[in-house]
Amino acid sequence: MIDRLRELDAIALDHADEVVVCSPALAASRGATREVTLVPNGVDSEHFQRPQPRPRDMPSAPTAVYLGTLHDSRLDVELVIELARSLREVSVVLVGPDALPPATRRRLHAEPNIHALGSRPYTDVPAYLQHANVIIMPHLVTPFTDSLDPIKAYECLAVSTPTVATPVAGFRELSGQLTVVAPESFVEAVSLALRTVPQRCELSEPVFSWEQRASAFGRVLARAATEASQPSEANR
C-alpha cells in the first residue's frame, strides 16, 4: 500500500501543472525535482477568540487540554501518562476523535485524572481551549510530524490560553509566542505554566487568516489556468 501511494505521489508530481504544499518539509522534499508553492494552513481567529461558556463536560480545574485526533503516530502517549502521574491534581483533558489501539486506550483510561472526551463539533472547540488552564501539545517528534503544518498550532495561537508543546513542525516555528520544550522538560513547563500569570502575544490576523491563505492558493490556480490556456511549443 505504501509503495502504491509513493508511486501515485511521483506521478502527481511529474504531471501536475502546479503543486501546492502546506509545510516547509514538504516544500523541501517535493520541491527537490520541481517547483512547488508553499501555502501554510491558517485559522479563523474570530471564531476562536469569540468568548464561549465553559463546556459542561469540562473536568474541574486545573485543566491541561489537548485538542486533536488521538493517534499513536502523533500523540506521545508515554508523555501524556507521565504528565498525569506527575501532576495528579491536574485534569488532563483529551478532546478529539480516538484512533488509538485498544491497549493504548486502556492505559490512558487507567489514569484517574486523564479524561478522554471524544470528538466535539467545530463550533464548540474554542470553548475547551478558552477555558483550559494550559493547552498541551505532547506530540512525537518524528519525520512524519515534521512533515506537517498542524492547524491546531494556529488555533492555539488564536486564543489567550498558555500553550506548551513539544518541538514539532508548526509549533517549533512559533516558539517565540508559545512555549516549546523538549519532551524531558514538558512536565516542568506545564507545571510552570499553571503557576504563572498568562502573558501572550496577540495573533497577527493578516498573516494567518484563511482569507490570506485562500488568496495565495488562488494565485496558484490563476497561474495554472494561464499556463494551460497558452499553446505548447509542440503545437506552435
Side-chain angles (χ1 to χ4, degrees), residues 72 75-82 100 104 107-108 138 140:
D72 57 5
L75 182 66
D76 191 335
V77 174
E78 299 299 332
L79 190 52
V80 173
I81 292 175
E82 179 188 351
L100 293 169
T104 303
R107 291 186 63 206
L108 290 174
L140 294 166

Side-chain angles (χ1 to χ4, degrees), residues 48-81:
F48 279 85
Q49 292 173 347
R50 186 182 307 118
Q52 293 195 18
R54 182 182 177 87
R56 293 183 178 181
D57 60 352
M58 182 80 111
S60 58
T63 55
V65 175
Y66 172 79
L67 171 67
T69 300
L70 309 185
H71 196 291
D72 57 5
S73 68
R74 183 178 299 184
L75 182 66
D76 191 335
V77 174
E78 299 299 332
L79 190 52
V80 173
I81 292 175

Side-chain angles (χ1 to χ4, degrees), residues 15 51 132 176 194 197 199 214:
H15 292 281
L194 290 168
V197 176
Q199 291 184 344

Side-chain angles (χ1 to χ4, degrees), residues 56 58 97 115 139 209 231:
R56 293 183 178 181
M58 182 80 111
H115 307 267
H139 284 175
S209 71

